[in-house]
Amino acid sequence: MADEPTESPLPGARPPSAEAELPQPSVTPVRRWNVSLVWLLPAVAIAIGASLLFRTVFLVGPRIEIEFASAEGVEAGKTDVRYKEVVIGKVVSISLRGAKKRVVVGVQLDHSASGIAVEDTTFWVVRPHIGIGGVSGLGTLLSGSYIGADAGVSKRSQSEFKGLEAPPLVLRGEPGSIFVLRSEDLGSLEVGSPVFHRRAGVGRVVAYTLDPDRDELLLKIFVEAPYQKLVTTATRFWNASGIDLTVNASGLTLNTQTLASVLSGGLAFESMPGLGVALPAPADSVFTLYSDRRSALAPPDGPPVRVRMVFDQSVRGLNEGAVVDLLGIEIGHVTSIALQYDGPHKRFPVEVLAEIHPLRLGPLRNALLKAAGPANGRPDDAVVLQQLVANGVRAQIRSGNLLTGQLYVALDFVGKQPVRVAIDADGSMALPTVPGTLSEVQPQIAEIVEKISKIPFDEIGKDLRTTLAGASATIRQLTPEAQKTLVEVQQTLAKAQASLDSLDRNVTDPNAPVQHNLEETLLELQRASRSLRVLSDYLQQHPESILRGKPADPALPQR
């Protein structure tokens, strides 16, 4: 082993024992990020785009366009769009359209109000407004005008709308009910006119239209909750506008509601009395609008019977609408007055047409129908009038009011001979007439005036003056003896007057001796009669005293 050769180490190498003693190093590479400023601008742009995308998707709603006649009070970037006083959008643009006749307002809605953009949503500009319905929009004096919205209920989306020129009087979902009224005349009613019940405001007029087919007005009224329950199937409406001043045969009648109805017009309603409890009327029920409260609450008249009356006298003071009554009960009214010509007799009679409601006769109508028997196909109510005429009813013009000179037609039992009246095919009939009381009095007054005018008042006055002048001359021509006789007569009369004065002092004067003596005599007679009464009473109780005399009075007891 010792003879083996040894390897000589390489130059510069360490011995093996030295390498085993030193640790081996571990190398870890280091990564370095070098961000350049050139990437900062794209990063900001990406962040802005992301925020705009988020706003567009999650915060901004649809864009709509609203068409108005004018953009008064509307400004782009300032005017809000509000629903129930909550801001749901803002006006972003204003432009002209349609040959510069209409204004188109672009509105950007919020994402939360996306459901507003449906086809039945309405928009309008809220401005300060003073009208018959009251004062509205006063808050815009400080905040400026804004666009109001009434959300629709449709499911169909829409981006173009036609704005209203005035705020709607009834918002969708407002508690209450709408009713329809038929009327022949609008009077002083307008949209916004109040509706009253027992003089308290409970609603308003919201719209009216003229029906060209029926030639009548249709009014829509809104009655607020909970007052819509007061409108029942027995409710009657009437026009309470202004002041109702009526001068007729009954005199002067003044009727009005509240000051608001006097200035702006209004309606009133009330249930028919005596019908008990009626069910509330459903919404959109149709009622008739009467001209006044009296006609509205009058009992049912039933179908009228048209009558014709011809008078040979002046009808000055008889107007259309004048009363036709039977023994003081109003059963109809005059509809027209026309002057006719009677060629054979060379006269100018006056034809008066009227409508009579026999249903107002009550039990009398039923009794007359029963007495008439079967109608044989003729109108029953016309038969009722025929029965009245057969019993002596005649038409007569009478004065209803001496102050106003108004006349009316009175049906009274003044006929002596029964008259048969024919009924026309349409149910109308001609009533026989008699001269009115005024026409009878006028000839008598004229005759009296004529007789008085024939009295020679001038000649009577001249004769009286002549007689007085002759008497004066006769007195002046009296002889001295006659004048002496007159003086003696005057003296005699003076003495007679003195005797009467003396008699008055001695007899009728309260202090006269005759009066005093007469009073004493009457007192003595009174005492004597009292004594005789006492004596007669005693003798009646003690008749034996006539023979025995009156016993002595008992002695008074000793104290």
Side-chain angles (χ1 to χ4, degrees):
M1 294 289 297
D3 293 340
E4 294 179 358
T6 60
E7 297 179 359
S8 60
L10 294 176
R14 295 179 181 180
S17 60
E19 292 178 359
E21 294 177 356
L22 294 175
Q24 298 296 326
S26 60
V27 179
T28 304
V30 178
R31 293 181 179 180
R32 294 182 179 180
W33 292 89
N34 295 324
V35 181
S36 177
L37 293 178
V38 73
W39 295 102
L40 182 59
L41 184 59
V44 172
I46 292 173
I48 294 175
S51 64
L52 292 176
L53 179 62
F54 177 81
R55 178 179 178 84
T56 302
V57 175
F58 297 101
L59 298 180
V60 178
R63 179 187 173 95
I64 63 174
E65 293 182 348
I66 309 173
E67 185 179 342
F68 292 105
S70 172
E72 179 185 359
V74 180
E75 298 182 25
K78 294 184 179 180
T79 304
D80 296 331
V81 179
R82 301 182 185 181
Y83 173 62
K84 294 186 176 180
E85 298 302 323
V86 177
V87 178
I88 60 173
K90 189 176 288 292
V91 175
V92 295
S93 66
I94 301 175
S95 60
L96 294 175
R97 180 181 296 175
K100 300 181 180 180
K101 294 183 179 180
R102 304 289 295 179
V103 176
V104 177
V105 177
V107 175
Q108 183 63 58
L109 297 177
D110 297 340
H111 180 73
S112 60
S114 299
I116 295 290
V118 293
E119 62 180 0
D120 57 346
T121 298
T122 55
F123 297 91
W124 65 93
V125 179
V126 179
R127 305 182 181 96
H129 176 72
I130 300 176
I132 59 177
V135 181
S136 62
L138 291 180
T140 59
L141 294 176
L142 300 177
S143 63
S145 300
Y146 62 90
I147 297 179
D150 187 13
V153 296
S154 175
K155 301 298 181 182
R156 298 180 60 183
S157 300
Q158 185 173 312
S159 60
E160 295 183 356
F161 298 88
K162 187 173 183 180
L164 304 177
E165 299 303 325
L169 293 179
V170 180
L171 298 178
R172 189 175 285 104
E174 185 176 356
S177 299
I178 292 180
F179 302 98
V180 181
L181 305 180
R182 287 197 180 102
S183 176
E184 297 181 355
D185 187 7
L186 185 62
S188 59
L189 296 175
E190 289 289 344
V191 173
S193 296
V195 177
F196 298 98
H197 178 70
R198 302 189 185 277
R199 300 184 186 271
V202 296
R204 57 194 178 273
V205 178
V206 296
Y208 64 86
T209 57
L210 180 61
D211 187 355
D213 297 331
R214 297 183 178 180
D215 192 16
E216 65 179 3
L217 284 165
L218 297 178
L219 290 91
K220 287 188 177 181
I221 65 171
F222 178 75
V223 181
E224 303 167 359
Y227 307 116
Q228 78 272 17
K229 297 184 294 185
L230 298 175
V231 182
T232 65
T233 54
T235 296
R236 298 293 183 269
F237 291 84
W238 68 89
N239 194 329
S241 301
I243 299 176
D244 183 12
L245 181 62
T246 305
V247 180
N248 50 26
S250 301
L252 188 144
T253 303
L254 177 63
N255 186 23
T256 182
Q257 285 287 323
T258 63
L259 181 61
S261 65
V262 173
L263 299 178
S264 62
L267 302 175
F269 68 90
E270 190 175 334
S271 295
M272 286 286 293
L275 296 182
V277 179
L279 297 176
D284 298 325
S285 296
V286 181
F287 296 89
T288 300
L289 180 62
Y290 294 89
S291 58
D292 52 25
R293 183 177 184 272
R294 179 183 178 185
S295 58
L297 300 181
D301 294 330
V305 176
R306 192 179 184 188
V307 298
R308 182 172 59 89
M309 298 166 286
V310 179
F311 296 95
D312 291 327
Q313 64 182 85
S314 173
V315 294
R316 181 179 178 84
L318 184 68
N319 302 320
E320 294 184 6
V323 173
V324 178
D325 70 10
L326 175 64
L327 299 179
I329 298 176
E330 182 178 341
I331 63 172
H333 63 279
V334 175
T335 57
S336 66
I337 303 172
L339 188 64
Q340 305 293 326
Y341 175 66
D342 185 2
H345 300 87
K346 304 297 181 181
R347 295 183 301 111
F348 298 91
V350 179
E351 182 185 62
V352 178
L353 299 180
E355 289 184 351
I356 295 179
H357 302 273
L359 194 61
R360 297 182 182 180
L361 297 175
L364 176 60
R365 174 178 177 271
N366 299 330
L368 292 175
L369 286 175
K370 185 177 180 180
N376 297 326
R378 295 176 297 179
D380 291 346
D381 290 334
V383 173
V384 171
L385 295 182
Q386 192 177 43
Q387 290 293 316
L388 290 175
V389 172
N391 284 276
V393 169
R394 302 292 185 269
Q396 188 180 46
I397 293 180
R398 295 179 181 177
S399 175
N401 194 307
L402 295 177
L403 181 62
T404 61
Q406 296 293 318
L407 303 178
Y408 71 99
V409 179
L411 302 182
D412 204 348
F413 293 88
V414 295
K416 298 181 180 179
Q417 299 295 331
V419 177
R420 183 68 179 177
V421 180
I423 302 175
D424 299 336
D426 59 352
S428 62
M429 58 186 300
L431 291 181
T433 62
V434 294
T437 55
L438 186 60
S439 61
E440 294 178 354
V441 172
Q442 286 178 346
Q444 297 177 3
I445 294 176
E447 184 179 356
I448 294 173
V449 171
E450 183 180 0
K451 290 181 179 179
I452 293 176
S453 63
K454 293 180 179 180
I455 299 177
F457 290 103
D458 294 339
E459 297 179 1
I460 293 174
K462 292 179 181 179
D463 294 342
L464 182 59
R465 286 196 296 270
T466 302
T467 302
L468 293 176
S472 300
T474 303
I475 292 174
R476 287 194 298 268
Q477 293 177 2
L478 288 176
T479 59
E481 290 79 8
Q483 294 179 359
K484 183 178 180 181
T485 303
L486 289 175
V487 171
E488 293 178 353
V489 170
Q490 292 177 355
Q491 293 177 353
T492 303
L493 293 175
K495 292 180 180 179
Q497 182 66 35
S499 301
L500 292 175
D501 294 340
S502 177
L503 180 62
D504 182 54
R505 288 192 302 271
N506 294 328
V507 177
T508 61
D509 190 82
N511 298 323
V514 176
Q515 289 278 2
H516 183 67
N517 295 335
L518 181 61
E519 289 179 358
E520 290 184 352
T521 302
L522 292 176
L523 289 174
E524 291 295 335
L525 290 175
Q526 186 177 5
R527 294 191 191 99
S529 62
R530 187 180 300 112
S531 299
L532 288 175
R533 188 181 303 110
V534 171
L535 177 60
S536 62
D537 292 340
Y538 181 81
L539 291 177
Q540 186 176 5
Q541 295 176 2
H542 304 281
E544 68 278 5
S545 60
I546 297 177
L547 301 175
R548 300 178 180 178
K550 182 179 180 181
D553 295 333
L556 295 176
Q558 297 293 329
R559 293 185 178 181

